[in-house]
Coordinates of all heavy atoms in Angstrom, one line a residue:
G7 N 99.4 20.0 -25.4 CA 100.5 19.2 -24.9 C 100.6 17.8 -25.6 O 101.1 16.9 -25.0
A9 N 102.6 16.8 -27.8 CA 103.9 16.4 -28.2 C 104.6 15.8 -27.0 O 105.8 15.4 -27.1 CB 104.7 17.5 -28.8
G10 N 104.0 15.7 -25.9 CA 104.6 15.1 -24.7 C 104.3 13.6 -24.6 O 103.8 13.0 -25.6
F11 N 104.6 13.0 -23.5 CA 104.5 11.6 -23.3 C 103.0 11.1 -23.5 O 102.7 10.4 -24.5 CB 105.0 11.2 -22.0 CG 104.6 9.8 -21.4 CD1 104.7 8.7 -22.2 CD2 104.2 9.7 -20.1 CE1 104.3 7.5 -21.7 CE2 103.8 8.5 -19.6 CZ 103.9 7.3 -20.4
I12 N 102.1 11.5 -22.6 CA 100.8 10.9 -22.7 C 100.0 11.5 -23.9 O 99.3 10.9 -24.6 CB 100.0 11.2 -21.4 CG1 100.8 10.7 -20.2 CG2 98.6 10.5 -21.4 CD1 100.2 11.0 -18.8
G13 N 100.2 12.9 -24.1 CA 99.6 13.5 -25.2 C 99.8 12.9 -26.5 O 98.9 12.7 -27.4
D32 N 101.0 22.7 -29.0 CA 102.1 22.4 -28.0 C 103.2 23.4 -28.2 O 103.6 23.8 -29.3 CB 102.6 21.0 -28.3 CG 103.4 20.5 -27.2 OD1 104.5 21.1 -26.9 OD2 103.1 19.4 -26.6
L33 N 103.7 23.9 -27.1 CA 104.8 24.9 -27.1 C 106.2 24.2 -27.5 O 107.1 25.0 -27.8 CB 104.9 25.5 -25.7 CG 105.9 26.7 -25.5 CD1 105.6 27.8 -26.5 CD2 105.8 27.2 -24.1
L34 N 106.3 22.9 -27.4 CA 107.6 22.2 -27.6 C 108.6 22.8 -26.6 O 109.6 23.3 -27.0 CB 108.1 22.3 -29.0 CG 107.2 21.7 -30.1 CD1 107.8 21.9 -31.5 CD2 106.9 20.3 -29.8
T35 N 108.3 22.6 -25.3 CA 109.3 22.9 -24.3 C 110.3 21.7 -24.3 O 110.2 20.9 -25.2 CB 108.6 22.9 -22.9 OG1 108.1 21.5 -22.6 CG2 107.4 23.9 -22.8
A37 N 110.2 19.1 -22.8 CA 109.5 17.8 -22.8 C 108.7 17.5 -24.0 O 108.3 16.4 -24.2 CB 108.5 17.8 -21.6
G38 N 108.5 18.5 -24.9 CA 107.7 18.3 -26.1 C 108.7 17.9 -27.3 O 109.7 18.5 -27.4
G57 N 102.4 26.5 -30.1 CA 101.9 27.7 -29.4 C 101.8 27.4 -27.9 O 102.0 26.3 -27.4
D58 N 101.6 28.5 -27.2 CA 101.7 28.5 -25.7 C 100.2 28.7 -25.2 O 99.5 29.7 -25.6 CB 102.6 29.7 -25.3 CG 102.9 29.7 -23.8 OD1 102.1 29.2 -23.0 OD2 103.9 30.3 -23.5
I59 N 99.8 27.9 -24.3 CA 98.5 28.0 -23.7 C 98.3 29.3 -22.9 O 97.2 29.8 -22.6 CB 98.0 26.8 -22.8 CG1 99.1 26.6 -21.7 CG2 97.8 25.6 -23.6 CD1 98.6 25.6 -20.6
R60 N 99.4 30.0 -22.6 CA 99.3 31.3 -21.9 C 99.1 32.5 -22.9 O 99.0 33.6 -22.5 CB 100.6 31.6 -21.1 CG 100.8 30.6 -20.0 CD 102.2 30.6 -19.4 NE 103.1 30.1 -20.4 CZ 104.4 29.9 -20.2 NH1 104.9 30.1 -19.0 NH2 105.2 29.4 -21.1
F80 N 96.3 18.4 -21.8 CA 97.5 17.8 -21.2 C 98.6 18.8 -20.9 O 99.4 18.5 -20.0 CB 98.1 16.8 -22.2 CG 97.3 15.6 -22.6 CD1 96.5 15.6 -23.7 CD2 97.3 14.5 -21.8 CE1 95.8 14.5 -24.1 CE2 96.6 13.3 -22.1 CZ 95.8 13.3 -23.3
A81 N 98.7 19.9 -21.6 CA 99.9 20.8 -21.6 C 100.1 21.2 -20.1 O 99.3 21.7 -19.4 CB 99.7 22.0 -22.4
A82 N 101.4 20.9 -19.7 CA 101.7 21.2 -18.3 C 103.2 21.1 -18.1 O 103.9 20.4 -18.9 CB 101.0 20.3 -17.3
S84 N 105.4 19.0 -15.9 CA 104.9 17.8 -15.2 C 105.9 17.1 -14.3 O 105.6 16.0 -13.7 CB 104.6 16.8 -16.4 OG 105.7 16.3 -17.0
T99 N 102.4 28.2 -16.2 CA 101.9 27.2 -17.2 C 100.7 26.5 -16.7 O 99.6 26.5 -17.4 CB 103.0 26.2 -17.6 OG1 104.1 26.8 -18.2 CG2 102.4 25.1 -18.5
V122 N 93.1 17.0 -17.8 CA 93.9 15.8 -17.4 C 94.7 16.2 -16.1 O 95.8 16.7 -16.1 CB 94.9 15.4 -18.5 CG1 95.6 14.1 -18.1 CG2 94.1 15.2 -19.8
S123 N 94.0 15.9 -15.0 CA 94.6 16.2 -13.7 C 95.4 14.9 -13.2 O 95.7 14.0 -14.0 CB 93.5 16.6 -12.7 OG 94.1 17.1 -11.5
T124 N 95.7 14.9 -11.9 CA 96.6 13.8 -11.4 C 96.2 13.4 -10.0 O 95.6 14.2 -9.3 CB 98.0 14.3 -11.4 OG1 98.8 13.4 -10.6 CG2 98.2 15.7 -10.9
Y149 N 104.5 21.2 -8.0 CA 103.8 20.6 -9.1 C 102.4 20.2 -8.8 O 101.4 20.6 -9.5 CB 104.5 19.4 -9.6 CG 103.7 18.5 -10.5 CD1 103.3 18.9 -11.8 CD2 103.3 17.2 -10.1 CE1 102.5 18.1 -12.6 CE2 102.5 16.4 -10.9 CZ 102.1 16.8 -12.2 OH 101.3 16.0 -12.9
K153 N 98.7 21.7 -10.1 CA 97.7 20.9 -10.8 C 96.4 21.0 -10.0 O 95.3 21.0 -10.6 CB 98.2 19.4 -10.9 CG 99.3 19.2 -11.9 CD 99.0 19.4 -13.3 CE 98.0 18.4 -13.9 NZ 97.8 18.6 -15.3
C176 N 94.6 10.7 -12.6 CA 95.2 9.4 -12.9 C 96.5 9.2 -12.1 O 97.1 10.2 -11.7 CB 95.5 9.3 -14.4 SG 96.0 7.7 -14.9
S177 N 96.8 7.9 -11.9 CA 98.0 7.6 -11.2 C 99.2 7.6 -12.2 O 99.0 8.0 -13.3 CB 97.8 6.2 -10.6 OG 97.6 5.2 -11.6
N178 N 100.4 7.2 -11.7 CA 101.6 7.2 -12.5 C 101.5 6.4 -13.8 O 101.1 5.2 -13.7 CB 102.8 6.7 -11.7 CG 103.2 7.6 -10.6 OD1 102.5 7.9 -9.7 ND2 104.4 8.1 -10.8
N179 N 101.8 7.0 -14.9 CA 101.8 6.3 -16.2 C 103.2 5.8 -16.6 O 104.1 6.4 -16.1 CB 101.4 7.3 -17.3 CG 99.9 7.6 -17.4 OD1 99.3 7.7 -18.5 ND2 99.2 7.7 -16.3
K188 N 111.8 10.7 -15.8 CA 110.8 10.0 -14.9 C 111.4 8.6 -14.5 O 112.2 8.1 -15.3 CB 109.5 9.9 -15.6 CG 108.9 11.3 -16.0 CD 108.2 12.0 -14.9 CE 107.9 13.4 -15.2 NZ 107.0 13.7 -16.3
Ligands
NAD1 P1 105.1 15.8 -20.5 O1 105.9 16.7 -19.6 O2 105.7 14.6 -21.2 O3 104.4 16.7 -21.7 C1 103.9 18.0 -21.4 C2 103.7 18.6 -22.8 O4 103.2 19.9 -22.6 C3 105.0 18.8 -23.6 O5 104.8 18.4 -24.9 C4 105.2 20.3 -23.5 O6 105.9 20.8 -24.7 C5 103.8 20.8 -23.4 N1 103.7 22.2 -22.8 C6 104.3 22.6 -21.7 N2 104.1 23.9 -21.4 C7 103.2 24.3 -22.4 C8 102.6 25.5 -22.7 N3 102.7 26.6 -22.0 N4 101.8 25.6 -23.8 C9 101.6 24.5 -24.7 N5 102.2 23.3 -24.4 C10 103.0 23.2 -23.3 O7 103.9 15.4 -19.6 P2 103.1 14.0 -19.5 O8 103.7 13.1 -18.6 O9 102.7 13.5 -20.9 O10 101.7 14.5 -18.7 C11 100.7 15.1 -19.5 C12 99.6 15.6 -18.6 O11 99.1 14.5 -17.8 C13 100.1 16.6 -17.6 O12 99.1 17.6 -17.4 C14 100.3 15.8 -16.3 O13 100.1 16.6 -15.1 C15 99.2 14.8 -16.4 N6 99.4 13.5 -15.7 C16 100.6 12.8 -15.9 C17 100.8 11.6 -15.3 C18 102.1 10.8 -15.6 O14 102.3 9.8 -14.9 N7 103.0 11.2 -16.5 C19 99.8 11.1 -14.5 C20 98.6 11.8 -14.3 C21 98.4 13.0 -14.9

Side-chain angles (χ1 to χ4, degrees):
F11 162 48
I12 308 174
D32 194 301
L33 184 58
L34 299 181
T35 66
D58 189 334
I59 52 166
R60 294 163 295 186
F80 294 97
S84 70
T99 296
V122 184
S123 189
T124 164
Y149 162 69
K153 290 295 289 187
C176 188
S177 61
N178 287 62
N179 283 217
K188 303 278 167 60

